[in-house]
């Protein structure tokens, strides 16, 4: 498969803290990749740089053979890079449908009627139709996660960056979100998933990248990751890994 996203020697520091230390990664179109590591390992920093919210100190990012380092988030969204956040970001004073139209009409490439039609179909897929006229502020935490999913899909992404989408979500809703992610990936969307829920990573992803203190310490299958001594040490400490 062709390389869709290439991260080349990406470095980012915050004061004296090295968040990313010359990270090099390549992702092929259609992959579903888990990105794991202890707190502070650089996972969210990496997604923030790829999606344009942070600027790297050094290094390059190439998306579909075009350099994108330093490109603003809204321009990256227009070329197919979608992003969710650990803390759900929606317009809470707007209704569910109004939230959808903010995304759908962001580049004025379609009429309001066309955007409304697409939004209705996406809300139906995500079982949010009955809430279309409800203010986002009245939704539960799980419903807000689904609304964020729905808003991202209005952008018709080709690369989807999901940062802890299952945090605080009811197990039944989590299974539904799994199904959504599998469906999108089967349709050809590349997905990079951060989750501290190892069960979700190992169930959904065929490739797992592990970061620790800004360095890649493992890049392999779920089976290889589970057996890797460096991963065990990073999560449990050397004493536990050797026990």
């Amino acid at each position: 498969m062709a390389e869709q996203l290439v991260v080349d020697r990406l470095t980012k520091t915050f004061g004296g803290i090295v968040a990313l230390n010359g990270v090099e990664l390549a992702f092929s179109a259609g992959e579903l990749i888990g990105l794991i590591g202890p707190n502070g390992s650089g996972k969210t920093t990496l997604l923030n740089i790829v999606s344009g919210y942070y600027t790297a100190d050094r290094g390059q990012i190439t998306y579909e053979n075009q350099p994108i380092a330093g490109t603003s988030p809204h321009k990256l969204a227009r070329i197919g890079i979608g992003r969710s956040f650990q803390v759900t970001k929606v317009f809470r004073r707007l209704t569910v449908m109004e939230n959808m139209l903010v995304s759908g009409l962001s580049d004025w490439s379609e009429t309001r009627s066309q955007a409304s039609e697409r939004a209705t179909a996406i809300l139906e897929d995500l079982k949010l139709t009955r809430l279309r006229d409800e203010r986002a502020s009245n939704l539960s935490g799980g419903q807000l996660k689904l609304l964020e999913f729905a808003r991202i899909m209005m952008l018709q992404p080709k690369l989807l960056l999901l940062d802890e989408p299952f945090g605080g979500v009811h197990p039944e809703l989590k299974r539904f979100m799994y199904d959504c992610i599998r469906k999108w990936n089967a349709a050809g969307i590349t997905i990079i998933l951060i989750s501290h829920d190892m069960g979700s990573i190992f169930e959904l992803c065929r490739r797992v990248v592990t970061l620790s203190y800004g360095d890649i310490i493992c890049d392999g299958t779920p089976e290889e990751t589970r057996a890797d001594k460096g991963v065990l040490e990073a999560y449990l400490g050397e004493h536990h890994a050797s026990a």
Side-chain angles (χ1 to χ4, degrees):
M1 291 185 287
E3 292 178 341
Q4 183 181 38
L5 178 71
V6 178
V7 172
D8 182 22
R9 293 169 291 177
L10 214 59
T11 299
K12 181 67 176 179
T13 59
F14 297 96
I17 298 173
V18 179
L20 295 174
N21 185 27
V23 167
E24 296 188 359
L25 284 167
F27 302 103
S28 298
E31 280 196 281
L32 175 47
I33 308 106
L35 187 60
I36 67 171
N39 288 333
S41 59
K43 306 182 299 298
T44 295
T45 298
L46 177 59
L47 293 200
N48 281 338
I49 294 174
V50 171
S51 56
Y53 289 91
Y54 288 172
T55 301
D57 299 330
R58 291 187 298 278
Q60 297 295 326
I61 310 168
T62 304
Y63 172 72
E64 296 188 338
N65 297 317
Q66 297 297 320
I68 61 169
T71 304
S72 63
H74 76 275
K75 289 182 179 178
L76 293 174
R78 288 180 180 177
I79 62 173
I81 299 177
R83 168 78 193 279
S84 77
F85 296 84
Q86 292 184 34
V87 178
T88 308
K89 295 185 182 295
V90 299
F91 298 105
R92 293 177 181 264
R93 294 185 181 182
L94 302 184
T95 67
V96 167
M97 178 55 80
E98 287 168 343
N99 265 276
M100 299 292 283
L101 293 179
V102 169
S103 295
L105 296 173
S106 60
D107 66 356
W108 303 103
S109 63
E110 59 186 354
T111 66
R112 184 184 180 91
S113 176
Q114 290 170 328
S116 295
E117 186 175 341
R118 280 204 305 116
T120 297
I122 292 170
L123 291 176
E124 184 174 352
D125 281 346
L126 290 170
K127 301 182 180 179
L128 291 174
T129 303
R130 65 183 178 83
L131 298 171
R132 59 177 290 150
D133 296 319
E134 193 72 47
R135 284 185 182 272
S137 59
N138 295 332
L139 270 57
S140 69
Q143 289 167 340
L144 286 171
K145 292 280 189 182
L146 290 180
L147 176 55
E148 187 172 45
F149 269 19
R151 293 180 67 236
I152 294 169
M153 296 316 293
M154 283 295 288
L155 298 171
Q156 303 180 80
K158 293 178 283 184
L159 171 63
L160 191 53
L161 311 174
L162 301 179
D163 195 351
E164 296 288 356
F166 311 121
V169 172
H170 187 277
E172 186 175 335
L173 178 56
K174 188 188 297 185
R175 301 302 309 183
F176 177 66
M177 294 171 76
Y178 286 8
D179 291 340
C180 292
I181 289 170
R182 289 191 181 100
K183 178 180 178 181
W184 296 334
N185 183 238
I189 299 175
T190 307
I191 299 175
I192 302 175
L193 169 66
I194 293 177
S195 180
H196 279 102
D197 180 349
M198 291 298 98
S200 66
I201 292 290
F202 292 137
E203 180 172 341
L204 290 169
C205 303
R206 296 179 292 275
R207 176 186 172 193
V208 181
V209 175
T210 308
L211 284 168
S212 180
Y213 296 107
D215 289 306
I216 298 171
I217 59 171
C218 185
D219 183 353
T221 66
E223 293 75 21
E224 290 168 340
T225 302
R226 276 190 287 248
D228 189 272
K229 182 180 178 182
V231 174
L232 295 174
E233 289 177 354
Y235 272 100
L236 301 175
E238 187 173 357
H239 172 73
H240 290 87
S242 60

